[in-house]
Amino acid sequence: MLQCIFLLSDSGEVMLEKQFSGHRVDRSICAWFWEHAISQGDSSKLQPVIASPTHYLFQILREGITFLACTQVEMPPLMAVEFLCRVADVLSDYLGGLNEDLIKDNFIIVYELLDEMIDNGFPLTTEPNILREMIAPPNIVSKVLSVVTGNSSNVSDTLPSATASCVPWRTTDPKYANNEVYVDLVEEMDAIINRDGVLVKCEIYGEVQVNSHLSGLPDLTLSFKNPSILGDVRFHPCVRFRPWESHQILSFVPPDGQFKLMSYRVRKLKSTPLYVKPQLTSDAGTCRITLLVGIRNDPGKTIDSITVQFQLPPCILSADLSSNYGTVNILSNKMCCWSIGRIPKDKTPSMSGTLVLESGLERLQVFPTFQVGFRIMAVALSGLQIDKLDLKTIPARFYKGFRALTSAGEFEIRS
């Protein structure tokens, strides 16, 4: 049972506090958590479950906002973390994003959503489609009406009919003139390449995202050509587990609208689409840096939005960097960003320059780690392929579309 939820800004300020039980959790727990996070260094790699002297803490980080939940009793940690992820997804969906200003401008709706999503510390209604029927999303008209009438509540007077249904994630009997389903494979590649150019780790985290607009109560089946490559699968509650367990087929009654059907991992991939070759040589108080970027394995589609970022070590006083393609920017926090875009056919993009070390240092002692970004449309680098999507119930005729997108996740080149 969760006792409270806090939303913290990137500076540790408590933006929002919601208590779920009679035993109030003091805000001092947030100060303890923030000191613990600072002591760990990189807050993005903080453990999701932390034991404080008085409470068990569960936390996730989204767009610079920390969602922190507290309890003093034993409970399944994955349930708490999953609930925080649901809260973050719902708020992002309602507010059109996640940042400090959006939450402060719409704090009434945030409180109303939390009231419906959790009851006495236990998760209750977490489906966005049902929540939209209960609480109207913010818009200009509703804000003007609240000012004129003095009624700031967005909660509907009637419960959605689906709350008493056997499929509570779906609105009751929707009607569409055009029945259509779109399935997207959205993947992120995580890779680590060491200073010798050896691929240490390469894996894909992927999601099957569905946008469904079907009349009535449709029953869908989705199958893959190579489901054996999938690991660490997680399903939406609408998925029946037994067909997947026996035949690796997804059988489900979809929610109305857009939702995440499943997530998965594909491990131990053998190659990456790009190569990045850094070379650093230092002597006499300066460091010469050269960086080459090119295509290692052509995926058959254009690789765009290519970027390379790295943090200059604290011992660097100044840097003079230039490239033969794209733009190089050095930010005030000593973060160097090289934006390439697409790799041209007539040249290999390269960046070079000189780093000046602080006085007393002859050679560079701390070498930077390079973060690579890219995007490939219409390709799933995991190799996962959709076989077919069938509809068991009426309407028998419907339009279906499939897309794929792969982008870089934590793609690191160590020097």
Side-chain angles (χ1 to χ4, degrees):
M1 181 185 75
L2 295 177
Q3 292 178 280
C4 69
I5 284 182
F6 297 100
L7 268 61
L8 309 180
S9 68
D10 55 4
S11 61
E13 175 193 357
V14 179
M15 297 186 296
L16 186 142
E17 170 188 346
K18 179 65 175 175
Q19 302 285 339
F20 300 125
S21 65
H23 178 74
R24 187 178 182 278
V25 179
D26 192 82
R27 283 195 177 192
S28 59
I29 193 66
C30 297
W32 183 94
F33 166 78
W34 199 249
E35 290 177 3
H36 176 78
I38 293 174
S39 68
Q40 298 299 309
D42 189 355
S43 60
S44 64
K45 297 182 179 179
L46 199 63
Q47 293 295 324
V49 182
I50 303 169
S52 78
T54 56
H55 294 80
Y56 295 108
L57 307 180
F58 310 95
Q59 67 88 26
I60 64 168
L61 181 66
R62 292 283 185 88
E63 306 296 335
I65 296 175
T66 300
F67 292 77
L68 180 68
C70 307
T71 184
Q72 287 182 310
V73 298
E74 290 282 351
M75 67 174 294
L78 286 179
M79 184 181 77
V81 173
E82 176 64 20
F83 177 74
L84 291 179
C85 291
R86 286 293 185 98
V87 172
D89 291 340
V90 167
L91 293 185
S92 179
D93 181 47
Y94 258 78
L95 307 181
L98 268 183
N99 59 56
E100 188 173 345
D101 293 333
L102 279 174
I103 289 176
K104 289 184 176 179
D105 290 343
N106 299 278
F107 73 94
I108 293 177
I109 285 184
V110 176
Y111 275 113
E112 290 172 345
L113 286 170
L114 289 175
D115 278 335
E116 301 298 339
M117 293 183 71
I118 193 166
D119 182 30
N120 197 32
F122 295 96
L124 184 61
T125 304
T126 60
E127 276 301 321
N129 293 318
I130 305 303
L131 288 169
R132 281 181 175 275
E133 291 189 44
M134 302 169 73
I135 302 170
N139 54 53
I140 295 176
V141 175
S142 64
K143 290 182 178 179
V144 171
L145 286 175
S146 67
V147 172
V148 174
T149 63
N151 181 16
S152 59
S153 176
N154 295 273
V155 181
S156 172
D157 294 331
T158 58
L159 277 176
S161 55
T163 53
S165 168
C166 60
V167 282
W169 53 83
R170 183 172 179 82
T171 53
T172 303
D173 200 25
K175 301 290 185 182
Y176 291 101
N178 297 317
N179 293 283
E180 51 194 16
V181 180
Y182 300 97
V183 181
D184 294 339
L185 297 180
V186 181
E187 299 187 340
E188 286 189 352
M189 174 174 277
D190 298 335
I192 297 176
I193 300 173
N194 67 13
R195 59 183 300 174
D196 299 321
V198 178
L199 188 63
V200 177
K201 165 193 167 184
C202 186
E203 64 182 33
I204 291 284
Y205 170 78
E207 295 180 352
V208 180
Q209 298 180 359
V210 179
N211 195 356
S212 169
H213 299 284
L214 297 173
S215 303
L217 194 66
D219 198 333
L220 296 171
T221 57
L222 177 66
S223 59
F224 303 101
K225 292 183 179 180
N226 49 348
S228 59
I229 68 173
L230 301 178
D232 294 345
V233 292
R234 294 174 57 202
F235 301 112
H236 188 278
C238 70
V239 176
R240 303 180 181 99
F241 187 64
R242 184 165 294 178
W244 174 264
E245 194 175 36
S246 56
H247 304 294
Q248 280 71 56
I249 293 176
L250 294 174
S251 174
F252 58 99
V253 175
D256 193 41
Q258 191 165 357
F259 67 100
K260 182 173 70 175
L261 180 64
M262 68 174 290
S263 63
Y264 58 88
R265 285 193 185 275
V266 179
R267 303 182 184 276
K268 297 182 180 179
L269 298 179
K270 302 298 183 183
S271 61
T272 61
L274 295 175
Y275 68 80
V276 178
K277 296 181 178 179
Q279 184 176 3
L280 291 90
T281 56
S282 57
D283 191 24
T286 60
C287 177
R288 180 73 181 172
I289 181 172
T290 304
L291 199 62
L292 299 177
V293 178
I295 297 177
R296 183 188 302 275
N297 291 296
D298 192 347
K301 298 290 183 179
T302 302
I303 307 175
D304 59 12
S305 302
I306 301 174
T307 60
V308 181
Q309 297 185 3
F310 61 97
Q311 183 73 46
L312 295 175
C315 60
I316 300 297
L317 293 180
S318 63
D320 181 17
L321 303 174
S322 61
S323 65
N324 66 348
Y325 191 83
T327 58
V328 180
N329 294 306
I330 302 177
L331 306 180
S332 58
N333 61 352
K334 290 189 175 182
M335 177 65 74
C336 178
C337 304
W338 179 21
S339 299
I340 301 172
R342 298 181 179 180
I343 293 181
K345 296 181 179 180
D346 58 342
K347 67 173 69 173
T348 299
S350 66
M351 183 189 73
S352 59
T354 302
L355 310 178
V356 178
L357 309 182
E358 62 185 15
S359 59
L361 283 180
E362 289 291 320
R363 295 178 177 273
L364 189 64
Q365 304 294 327
V366 179
F367 293 90
T369 298
F370 299 88
Q371 306 282 344
V372 181
F374 63 83
R375 185 181 64 178
I376 311 173
M377 297 294 295
V379 171
L381 287 182
S382 66
L384 182 66
Q385 294 180 317
I386 294 176
D387 184 20
K388 58 183 178 180
L389 176 66
D390 291 328
L391 179 61
K392 293 181 181 179
T393 56
I394 58 173
R397 298 182 61 184
F398 69 106
Y399 178 78
K400 49 189 175 183
F402 306 98
R403 296 185 304 182
L405 166 67
T406 301
S407 58
E410 294 185 3
F411 198 107
E412 295 184 355
I413 313 294
R414 296 175 178 174
S415 59

